[in-house]
Amino acid sequence: MVTLNDYLYSGDTVLKILQRYHNDLKEDAMKTKNGVDIIHCNFLLQLTELLEHNDFLTSQSQRLREFYKYMSNEYPFLAFAFKGRIKSLIRAEEKFNGNIVEHVYDYYGKNHAFPSVTELKQEMGPIRDLIAYRIVISMPACHLKDGENRDEIELKYLYKIANELPGFLEEMGFSAEIYGIPGKDPSDMITETLRPYYRDYIKNPSPYGYRSLHITFYDNQSRSYLEVQIRTKQMDDYAEIGPAHHLGYEKRQDEERSRRDTVPSGECTYFDEAYERGMLLQGLDLSKLDVNMFGAVNNQLVNDGCGLYRGRLILPYEHLSRFQNDIID
């Protein structure tokens, strides 16, 4: 079995690692007639092309910047940041293999059989968050009126911004995708016609407390998907440096192990290989890796200059609220 881990100790660049991994995986897939590995190769090719030909991101980020400028004019009292990133190689690989494990597990639980390659391909679909932008808002204490609750005020503006975003980006060449959380309705604060488009993890937090508002767009100019996340600074802290970050990792490991216990070993090659690849990535000691422009003291102290472990930044725009920075351009 070919794994990404095999290529992380050579001193190569991320792009070279991707190319070598793709080529070797494809060669092995052709020999073993492994249809899921062919799908995997196509995914790696998509990620490679994104890194090789990312000039479109300049245009994309500039069009998104127009909404940043709109917010600066409409909500000068808010502090907010726009962040963009391309999903890191390790996270992208984890997600692809995790999706296989999840879909095979769900299918087996319902049918006591394993899905065909065609069924698996249809279930998985494209990964829509390889490119993601995040809008983080905060209401400075100096702009709160007596008796106002900061959390309530921030939520009010968060959902107001969410209601304005799809229509604004539609004019910039983006189309919102219907991609909600199955069986979970978003907040009533979202306009009714927009509710099918939003995944509301604020009203429906994850089991480990993650809260955010997500929406997926298709960029008609670059013909690519992107995800926009909207959250408050408190939610962002909880996700990035709080319990959601650590508990989510631990819960993911527990879920993977429970799925391994449920699906009989040796009966589904697709599941077995995806599970093993995921476990190998989760067990990485980052300090031992040898990848160009990457360094780590341990799995917390990481200096990633290549997008191996942490996403590659596309844009950082910051608006520190009125009286702190008044110049937008």
Side-chain angles (χ1 to χ4, degrees), residues 199-229:
R199 298 181 298 290
D200 191 347
Y201 298 107
I202 299 173
K203 181 185 176 186
N204 307 289
S206 74
Y208 45 92
Y210 174 82
R211 302 173 73 214
S212 186
L213 197 60
H214 292 194
I215 185 170
T216 298
F217 290 94
Y218 185 75
D219 183 353
N220 295 288
Q221 290 190 20
S222 66
R223 297 190 297 278
S224 63
Y225 289 101
L226 62 132
E227 181 178 83
V228 177
Q229 306 163 359

Side-chain angles (χ1 to χ4, degrees), residues 35-87:
V36 172
D37 277 353
I38 294 295
I39 299 172
H40 195 164
C41 288
N42 292 335
F43 167 71
L44 294 176
L45 187 61
Q46 177 189 0
L47 191 57
T48 302
E49 290 177 345
L50 180 60
L51 296 176
E52 282 183 331
H53 310 292
N54 60 9
D55 290 347
F56 73 88
L57 291 174
T58 302
S59 166
Q60 187 179 88
S61 62
Q62 287 299 317
R63 283 179 285 138
L64 282 162
R65 185 171 183 263
E66 293 302 311
F67 190 69
Y68 162 84
K69 292 164 68 175
Y70 167 80
M71 282 182 59
S72 298
N73 290 321
E74 290 294 312
Y75 308 104
F77 44 84
L78 282 179
F80 54 86
F82 271 45
K83 307 174 185 178
R85 62 106 181 102
I86 302 173
K87 190 179 287 293

Side-chain angles (χ1 to χ4, degrees), residues 96-145:
F96 181 87
N97 287 290
N99 284 352
I100 293 174
V101 168
E102 180 181 354
H103 288 304
V104 172
Y105 170 82
D106 290 344
Y107 190 96
Y108 183 80
K110 294 175 183 176
N111 304 286
H112 297 289
F114 298 106
S116 66
V117 174
T118 301
E119 289 171 320
L120 198 56
K121 186 176 182 180
Q122 289 174 341
E123 278 294 317
M124 290 180 62
I127 292 180
R128 292 175 167 86
D129 65 345
L130 290 180
I131 304 170
Y133 296 87
R134 184 182 305 164
I135 302 173
V136 181
I137 70 167
S138 177
M139 174 63 82
C142 59
H143 294 319
L144 286 173
K145 299 176 182 177

Side-chain angles (χ1 to χ4, degrees), residues 249-263:
Y249 177 77
E250 293 170 1
K251 184 174 177 61
R252 188 166 68 247
Q253 287 185 313
D254 291 341
E255 287 176 346
E256 295 290 323
R257 293 189 189 100
S258 68
R259 286 168 176 162
R260 172 72 284 176
D261 293 340
T262 301
V263 177

